[in-house]
Amino acid sequence: MAYSIAPGSLALSRSVLDRAADRRRDDDWLEKAWAAPETQVVVVAGDKIQVVDDRSALRFLRPSEAPEGLRIFLGIDRESGAGMTAEGRAVFGVLVSGDGDESYGGLRELGAVLDDREAGIAVHLIGLSNWHAVYTHCGNCGEHTEVAEAGHVRRCPNCGLSHFPRSDPAIIVLVTDDQDRALLGRNEAWPAGRYSTLAGFVEPGESLEAAVRREVLEETGVIVGQEVEYAASQPWPLPASLMLGFYAKATNFDIDVDQDEIAEAKWFTREDLRVLIEAGTMALPGAISISRRLIEGWYGESLSGSW
């Protein structure tokens, strides 16, 4: 296999902000940073983040303009050229209740238009927002947890256990056969003509390569051999996944779908994809997804026809 994902092409894997984790416990520094007029604040409601009127960028507020809510320190913009100290400009998020109005946008909409800095801020903040919404009580004793370390820890006041934001590892893989055809599947809930790569969560005690082989076999009956090559990763905080992309080579090619998650799977040549997409009878994952980039890495160029 000689496929690859173009560097920088994954819309949600780009980040330039220094998260400055060492500052999360420094309350004095955090208060000074919040008071600095150069500091920027982004507001998030659920899994949506506030944007400018034309929806092309995040809306940044001054601390004095920010609404009441849970304050999250996101990091330091060391490339800004301005800031409260020589360190750079601090960036915070504020979590507010509700789902947001028309001034908010989601990652699927914004991922393809945000620049590297803003894409990194968005996935960081939305991931934390989803985590705080769910992990409000201690899993050990049931006590309501308290927010600590600038929004990156929830600590139990009863048993003292610290809870950290989680990312659930999930493999996503484009499998090819001995004729260099690509194996794509269709979820049962999707309309006819929508296809994507195969994916699934990594189980406890399982390597990533083993997860690739298991998921492909479970969903399609296809056996993957020793050729499993890592391609790239993409955070997908909807609500808390980290997608780990692979290319893999099959050793048998008969398809027997599970009829649970996968309703249909097929081997496609590059010509098959071209013809079906041009005819409007096939749609691929959206441009921000790692699935789309895996397919295009195999195909050799960009494709149209997203959903």
Side-chain angles (χ1 to χ4, degrees):
M1 293 177 292
Y3 320 123
S4 63
I5 294 177
S9 65
L10 288 171
L12 303 182
S13 297
R14 305 166 297 167
S15 179
V16 298
L17 201 68
D18 180 352
R19 295 195 177 195
D22 58 312
R23 292 298 190 184
R24 294 172 187 169
R25 299 181 182 181
D26 190 338
D27 292 338
D28 289 341
W29 186 92
L30 290 168
E31 286 303 317
K32 291 177 182 178
W34 181 260
E38 298 86 0
T39 291
Q40 293 184 318
V41 182
V42 185
V43 181
V44 65
D47 61 3
K48 294 184 178 180
I49 197 163
Q50 199 166 51
V51 295
V52 298
D53 291 343
D54 68 2
R55 311 187 75 77
S56 64
L58 302 183
R59 181 181 298 280
F60 290 97
L61 306 176
R62 295 185 179 90
S64 60
E65 301 169 328
E68 291 295 321
L70 175 58
R71 190 186 303 176
I72 307 288
F73 172 60
L74 298 175
I76 298 172
D77 183 356
R78 301 192 186 280
E79 305 298 325
S80 64
M84 59 171 225
T85 69
E87 288 185 279
R89 178 170 53 193
V91 181
F92 286 81
V94 171
L95 276 55
V96 298
S97 59
D99 298 324
D101 55 24
E102 64 277 0
S103 68
Y104 290 75
L107 282 180
R108 288 183 174 87
E109 172 194 356
L110 301 173
V113 299
L114 298 180
D115 62 22
D116 290 359
R117 176 179 184 268
E118 295 191 7
I121 290 171
V123 293
H124 187 183
L125 186 54
I126 289 174
L128 285 173
S129 176
N130 287 331
W131 176 67
H132 280 290
V134 174
Y135 292 91
T136 56
H137 290 73
C138 178
N140 183 50
C141 70
E143 182 70 27
H144 194 282
T145 52
E146 299 173 345
V147 178
E149 296 192 23
H152 290 77
V153 174
R154 295 190 72 102
R155 190 163 292 129
C156 179
N158 182 49
C159 69
L161 188 65
S162 292
H163 301 268
F164 299 89
R166 62 180 294 170
S167 292
D168 300 323
I171 62 89
I172 183 163
V173 57
L174 187 135
V175 180
T176 56
D177 67 0
D178 59 350
Q179 300 176 53
D180 204 22
R181 298 180 298 176
L183 179 63
L184 301 178
R186 185 172 64 80
N187 187 282
E188 187 177 18
W190 298 345
R194 288 188 177 182
Y195 285 87
S196 184
T197 51
L198 305 177
F201 287 104
V202 180
E203 295 186 346
E206 186 176 45
S207 71
L208 299 177
E209 293 81 1
V212 167
R213 297 185 182 98
R214 176 182 54 78
E215 285 289 346
V216 174
L217 180 61
E218 288 178 355
E219 294 184 351
T220 68
V222 171
I223 297 174
V224 168
Q226 294 302 307
E227 291 187 70
V228 178
E229 296 180 359
Y230 173 76
S233 65
Q234 181 182 55
W236 191 254
L238 301 171
S241 297
L242 175 62
M243 307 304 297
L244 301 154
F246 291 86
Y247 289 106
K249 191 71 172 289
T251 57
N252 86 302
F253 318 116
D254 294 331
I255 295 173
D256 181 17
V257 296
D258 62 7
Q259 296 297 333
D260 181 14
E261 296 182 41
I262 302 297
E264 184 181 16
K266 294 181 179 179
W267 293 105
F268 292 91
T269 66
R270 293 171 178 80
E271 181 64 10
D272 290 335
L273 255 64
R274 185 189 66 79
V275 170
L276 292 169
I277 290 172
E278 288 181 356
T281 57
M282 183 176 188
L284 299 177
I288 70 167
S289 71
I290 189 172
S291 176
R292 176 61 166 267
R293 298 309 180 197
L294 286 168
I295 294 169
E296 291 179 339
W298 161 80
Y299 188 81
E301 60 183 78
S302 297
L303 290 162
S304 59
S306 62
W307 47 269

